[in-house]
Amino acid sequence: MKLIRVAVAAAVVGVALTACSSPMEAGAAAVVGHERISARDLNKNVQEYEAALRKVNIDPSQLGVSVNQFVLSRMAEQSRQQQLADKFGVQVSDTEIDTAAADKGEQQTAEMNLLSKGVAPTNPRGYLRAMIGVNKVIEKFGGSQNQQAVEKFKVEYNGLAPVFSPRYGKIGQQGFVDAGRFGKPSVTTEQTDQAQQQQSQG
């Protein structure tokens, strides 16, 4: 069985995933800023992602979280990043997206790199555009090594904290902590890596 090192939703420059408690619009899986992620869109993305996992013979249990939660976290993060990129007028070229799509990261292949981030390799361009765009926002502020730039980014980023429907679980500082009726609780990336090492040694 192939192993996948999951990149559990971690914001750029280390900003923690947060969520607010507020009334949730019927039929919404999450609301991020002025955008609504519908349960229908989530289900579509989950189906695409599960199909991609099956294609490379990966058991969804390797994720350490339910597929619904993992994909929803990625969709919320993508929306958050794209809204920031749009707000500050950064542009991302097709060439930049193509280059990012070929990046293997810490995985064996570029395809596995996308899967580790909750993205179906058949439809990655929206995710990649948002990811590149938000990095350009930080550079526009002064770069990730500039503390003032980082603090400015945090303010903007935290202003788009997602509100998740409680049906998908509870949110803690590191993401979903209670899968509720959708499966087992989430684990940390470190725990996931340890489990993968045990599997590879077994």
Side-chain angles (χ1 to χ4, degrees):
M1 179 184 294
K2 293 184 179 179
L3 297 180
I4 182 171
R5 176 173 293 182
V6 175
V8 177
V12 68
V13 300
V15 184
L17 177 69
T18 59
C20 306
S21 58
S22 67
M24 177 58 59
E25 182 179 349
V31 174
V32 185
H34 61 77
E35 292 188 355
R36 172 182 178 273
I37 298 174
S38 71
R40 178 178 295 181
D41 286 343
L42 172 61
N43 290 338
K44 178 178 180 292
N45 276 262
V46 166
Q47 289 170 4
E48 290 178 352
Y49 185 66
E50 288 179 331
L53 291 179
R54 288 194 297 270
K55 185 177 178 181
V56 293
N57 299 315
I58 292 178
D59 188 329
S61 66
Q62 287 190 51
L63 300 178
V65 296
S66 78
V67 176
N68 294 72
Q69 290 177 338
F70 191 45
V71 173
L72 180 56
S73 292
R74 187 270 301 169
M75 293 177 71
E77 190 66 13
Q78 179 179 328
S79 174
R80 204 174 190 182
Q81 293 176 343
Q82 189 60 58
Q83 287 182 63
L84 280 178
D86 291 343
K87 178 177 179 178
F88 291 97
V90 301
Q91 300 295 319
V92 178
S93 70
D94 287 339
T95 299
E96 288 174 311
I97 294 174
D98 292 339
T99 299
D103 182 14
K104 294 190 294 185
E106 298 181 357
Q107 306 294 333
Q108 305 97 313
T109 65
E111 180 182 33
M112 292 290 283
N113 188 41
L114 288 167
L115 287 171
S116 75
K117 295 173 171 60
V119 181
T122 53
N123 188 26
R125 299 188 76 80
Y127 165 79
L128 294 172
R129 184 179 300 279
M131 179 192 70
I132 297 167
V134 83
N135 284 325
K136 286 189 172 187
V137 170
I138 295 176
E139 291 306 311
K140 192 170 186 177
F141 287 172
S144 59
Q145 301 304 312
N146 183 315
Q147 189 59 37
Q148 288 184 326
V150 170
E151 291 303 320
K152 182 178 179 181
F153 175 80
K154 285 182 179 180
V155 170
E156 296 290 344
Y157 181 84
N158 290 333
L160 291 171
V163 180
F164 294 94
S165 169
R167 69 182 299 216
Y168 296 100
K170 297 179 181 179
I171 293 290
Q173 286 298 307
Q174 299 303 318
F176 285 100
V177 295
D178 177 11
R181 65 191 184 88
F182 284 91
K184 61 185 180 182
S186 62
V187 297
T188 65
T189 306
E190 181 180 357
Q191 289 172 322
T192 303
D193 290 344
Q194 290 174 350
Q196 290 169 358
Q197 291 172 2
Q198 291 172 354
Q199 285 182 341
S200 63
Q201 293 170 357

